[in-house]
Amino acid sequence: MKVNKEYIENIFKDSIEKNIFIKAIASSPVDKKSEYTKVNLKPVRIKDEIFIQFEEFKDKKAYHENICFASAMVKISDILERFKQLLISVNGADYQILKGKQDFNLKKSENTKVLKDLDHNKKKNYLIEDGTPVPFLIKLGVMGEDGKVFKNSYDKFRQINKYLEFIDDTIRELQNKKLIGDHIKFVDFGCGKSYLTFALHYYLKDIKNFTFEIIGLDLKKDVMKKCNDIAKELKCENLEFLTGNIKDFDKLQNVDIIFSLHACNNATDYALLKGLELNAKAILAVPCCQHEFNEKMSNTKNSKFFDKEMPIGKHGILFEKYTSLATDAFRAQALELCGYKTQVMEFIDMEHTPKNILIRGIKDKINTESLKRRFNEYEKFKSFLGIEPLLDSLLSPYYLIKL
C-alpha cells in the first residue's frame, strides 16, 4: 500500500493522542554519511505529562531526549525524511514502512501488544534499598534506625544511589579491561560532607566485598575532622579524610579512580591533572562554575565564534551556557588525547547546584590515526573559540601525540 508522508505522520499523531503508541524504530539512513544510524521512539510520562523519548544512535553511543508532543511531531517529520525504514507499533497493529522516491510503501499487520506503564520515574531497584538500615545513612541523618528514608532526605538518598550506579559501571568496565582486580585505590577530591565518600566505602565493603584504600580531600579542616570522627565511630577501616589542596596531594600513587564533585572553575582542571599525575585508570569529574572560557572569550570578540555564532554570543545567559558546555567538551577531548576513552553523561542535580554533567575517562588503547583526528578536532575547536585555556597548558605534557 502506497501512502504519503502526511498519512504516516497521522499514524503517529492519532496513536499518541489516543494513548496507544508503543514504540517506533527508524533505521537505514538515506544519507550513508549520516552521523545517526538509528532512532528509537517511545512514550514516557513525566510529571503527569506525556513526552516522546528519542533514543538516537551515533558512533555506537545512545543519546536520549524527551520531547513534548508538538515538538516531537516536528522531529518525527524530519525522521521520515532522513531514514528509509520505519517500524511503528501501536496497540493491535504494526506498521512496516519503506521510503520510496516520491511516497512510502506501508504494510500493516496485527499484533497482541499493549502499551505498558508509562511512568518514567517508577520505583527503581537501588544498590542501597529504602527500608534496609545502613549505619552511615543513619548517622548522617538520611534514614531512621528502622532503615526508612526520611521524606526530606529522599533526594539525597536518590543522589547517593545514582552516584553508586556510576561507580559500579566504572568498576565493571575497569575489570573487563583487566585494569583492576578486587582492590581499589580511590581518591575523592573536594569531598565536602562526604555523603558520597561514605557511600563508596559501604559499597566496596558491604556490597562488593573488595579491599580498598579511600581518601577524601577537602580544604575545610573542621569538616574533615568531623568526617574522620564519623569514620572512627562507624569503624570505617581504610577510609581517611585529609585537609589540603588538590594540587598538593601526594598521599597515594597509581590510583585506580579519582572523583571530583563540583570543583569550582579551574579546580576541575587541576583535578584532571592530578588524575594524570597519579596515573589514574579512571577519572570522573562533575564540573561547576566554568568561568574561565566565559571571561577569555568575552575578551576576544574578533574570534571565529563571534563571527559565526553571534546570535548566541550577544545574549548573556545563552553565552554562559555555551561557554560552560564548551569548557566540558574541551576537557573530554583533552582526556582523549591523554589516552582515555571519554563519555559526557547526565549525572544528577545536587541540592546546592543544578550542575549535573559528569565527565568520565577510562584508560583505553587508542590508535595513532584516531589520535591525530582528535588532536585536529581539538586544535580547530580551540582556534574557533579564540582562546588558550589553562587546561591546555596543564594537560599538554600528557598528550600522546603532538602535531
Side-chain angles (χ1 to χ4, degrees), residues 247-285:
K247 292 185 283 186
D248 301 324
F249 179 83
D250 60 0
K251 179 77 173 183
L252 287 179
Q253 294 296 322
N254 295 314
V255 170
D256 295 305
I257 303 173
I258 71 152
F259 178 71
S260 170
L261 177 66
H262 297 148
C264 189
N265 199 21
N266 292 125
T268 294
D269 299 328
Y270 283 105
L272 300 183
L273 172 63
K274 184 56 67 172
L276 295 171
E277 291 176 350
L278 299 177
N279 196 30
K281 300 174 183 69
I283 297 173
L284 290 80

Side-chain angles (χ1 to χ4, degrees), residues 32 97 115 133 147 151 158 244 276 307 360 388 390 401:
K32 292 182 179 179
I97 299 161
L115 181 63
K151 186 175 181 180
R158 186 168 59 91
L276 295 171
D307 181 45
R360 184 177 73 170
E388 291 293 333
L390 172 66
I401 188 170

Side-chain angles (χ1 to χ4, degrees), residues 1 3 7-8 10-12 14-15 20-21 23-25 85-98 105-111 113:
M1 173 179 173
V3 299
Y7 186 95
I8 299 172
N10 283 334
I11 293 176
F12 276 106
D14 291 345
S15 62
I20 61 172
F21 173 62
K23 68 176 181 178
I25 303 172
Q85 297 184 27
L86 190 69
L87 172 66
I88 306 173
S89 293
V90 304
N91 286 7
D94 287 329
Y95 299 90
Q96 291 182 309
I97 299 161
L98 292 176
N105 293 310
L106 182 145
K107 181 180 179 181
K108 181 180 178 180
S109 59
E110 294 183 358
N111 68 36
K113 300 173 184 174

